[in-house]
Amino acid sequence: MDIALAADGISKTYGKGSKAVHALRDVSLSVSSGEIFGLLGKNGAGKTTFIKCVLGIVFTQSGQGSVLGYPFGSVHAKERLGYLPENHRYPLYLTGEQVLTYFGKLSGISEPKLSQRIDETLKIVGMAEWRKTKVRKYSKGMMQRLGLAQALINDPQLIILDEPTDGVDPVGRKEIREVLLHLKNEGKTIFLNSHLLSEVERISDRVAIMDLGKIVREGRVEDLTKTENIYELRVSNISPEILSSISSLIVRTDGTLVEIRCNSPEDLNLAMDHLRSAGGIIESMAPKRSSLEDVFVDLIKTSNVTHV
């Protein structure tokens, strides 16, 4: 599979001596073409600094990186990138269409292709009917969708989004998620920087968790949220006698929900046999999964990254 973005040992420090801030420390990660990749971390973890290094806005002290086969900051890479910054602002007196015209011309798109791209991007983000409306009348959700349209105007292969749903209501977040999934289905690669973990968990293929400028965990969402050897069973006709039949395996009970720890499929099947033979009726069984938020909080609490 092609690699859309790769970083190898990227470091960035602001300032010197006792006042030095180590924004990035030996950051290495890779993003495959056609996937949605989420970069997670607390405010100040270094996420935005990493994006600025990718875009060539900030220069690194060490390490190397590539975007679509070109070095970080390369003009050739920028021609194939789309970028939505956090807290973007557009002139309030412009219409949505005028904003896209301006950014399209900055990207070197000329007519009649520019008009075609404006039509296409406004349709993708669901803003076609608001194209003649001035930005001052846009809601927060509409501003975010216009920002997405701006990031898409040059038909990029890699789309970098910095907090795209921050401050957006639940309906707006759902609409933006649907847009991102549509873009993925179109073959686009999306690099998503966010501290809204529930949003990232819904749509990302893989994530990396950053703490104090260092990557502390990277992997597929389903792998990171899987709880080792713990299963959730929904059991009806439950009683103390039924629970006593597997008491040594029980991790937690809550009404009809029973969590058990089994080290092998054989142990799991044996436990289910004990429940049924004692009169329990198993309605469902599934491996327990933690939320990405739970994984994130636990990881940050136990992270051995320290200030230098």
Side-chain angles (χ1 to χ4, degrees):
M1 184 176 292
D2 293 337
I3 300 299
L5 188 158
D8 183 14
I10 297 295
S11 294
K12 174 65 181 178
T13 301
Y14 295 102
K16 296 181 180 180
S18 61
K19 295 184 178 181
V21 176
H22 301 277
L24 298 174
R25 294 189 273 186
D26 195 28
V27 172
S28 297
L29 57 81
S30 64
V31 180
S32 299
S33 297
E35 75 174 345
I36 299 179
F37 187 97
L39 182 62
L40 311 176
K42 299 182 296 184
N43 291 333
K47 306 186 302 297
T48 297
T49 295
F50 179 76
I51 286 178
K52 289 180 178 179
C53 290
V54 172
L55 298 172
I57 298 172
V58 167
F59 297 105
T60 63
Q61 263 100 20
S62 62
Q64 57 186 358
S66 64
V67 181
L68 302 171
Y70 298 99
F72 281 0
S74 165
V75 173
H76 294 295
K78 291 178 181 179
E79 291 174 347
R80 302 157 71 189
L81 281 176
Y83 173 49
L84 172 63
E86 183 180 11
N87 299 322
H88 57 282
R89 295 287 185 271
Y90 304 124
L92 299 179
Y93 55 85
L94 294 180
T95 66
E97 182 178 56
Q98 289 170 333
V99 168
L100 296 183
T101 299
Y102 174 74
F103 280 95
K105 289 182 177 180
L106 284 180
S107 297
I109 308 172
S110 57
E111 296 291 358
K113 185 178 180 180
L114 178 55
S115 293
Q116 178 184 349
R117 284 302 300 161
I118 291 173
D119 291 342
E120 291 172 351
T121 54
L122 287 173
K123 183 178 180 180
I124 288 171
V125 302
M127 288 288 290
E129 63 181 294
W130 299 94
R131 63 189 302 156
K132 300 293 186 182
T133 302
K134 292 187 183 297
V135 170
R136 68 164 57 93
K137 295 184 179 180
Y138 283 8
S139 66
K140 177 66 174 179
M142 293 166 68
M143 281 293 292
Q144 291 300 99
R145 282 186 283 172
L146 178 62
L148 278 174
Q150 170 263 305
L152 298 173
I153 194 66
N154 61 328
D155 194 20
Q157 290 180 254
L158 173 62
I159 305 161
I160 299 177
L161 307 176
D162 197 350
E163 303 289 0
T165 59
D166 191 25
V168 181
D169 62 37
V171 174
R173 290 200 300 269
K174 182 177 184 296
E175 291 172 346
I176 291 173
R177 285 200 307 271
E178 291 172 348
V179 171
L180 298 185
L181 291 172
H182 168 78
L183 293 171
K184 177 188 174 181
N185 291 334
E186 293 291 315
K188 305 296 186 183
T189 305
I190 300 172
F191 187 91
L192 178 64
N193 168 21
S194 179
H195 63 269
L196 298 175
L197 278 70
S198 60
E199 293 298 308
V200 175
E201 183 174 8
R202 288 171 181 261
I203 62 172
S204 296
D205 300 298
R206 292 191 305 123
V207 299
I209 298 175
M210 179 177 283
D211 186 31
L212 297 177
K214 192 173 183 66
I215 301 294
V216 293
R217 184 72 63 83
E218 180 183 352
R220 298 193 310 166
V221 172
E222 56 265 38
D223 293 335
L224 294 181
T225 56
K226 183 179 179 181
T227 303
E228 192 70 23
N229 298 331
I230 297 180
Y231 299 85
E232 293 181 334
L233 283 72
R234 186 69 63 178
V235 184
S236 60
N237 194 33
I238 201 164
S239 67
E241 291 75 23
I242 290 174
L243 294 178
S244 67
S245 67
I246 57 166
S247 58
S248 63
L249 303 176
I250 292 177
V251 175
R252 184 177 72 93
T253 62
D254 183 9
T256 61
L257 179 65
V258 181
E259 291 183 7
I260 61 174
R261 185 185 302 276
C262 296
N263 296 322
S264 68
E266 292 77 15
D267 290 343
L268 176 60
N269 278 277
L270 186 60
M272 295 170 67
D273 289 342
H274 284 315
L275 284 172
R276 282 191 288 258
S277 63
I281 300 174
I282 299 174
E283 298 178 350
S284 65
M285 185 280 296
K288 182 181 179 180
R289 292 191 178 277
S290 299
S291 69
L292 192 57
E293 182 176 275
D294 292 335
V295 174
F296 176 84
V297 171
D298 290 343
L299 193 59
I300 296 300
K301 284 181 178 179
T302 58
S303 173
N304 59 6
V305 178
T306 57
H307 289 283
V308 176

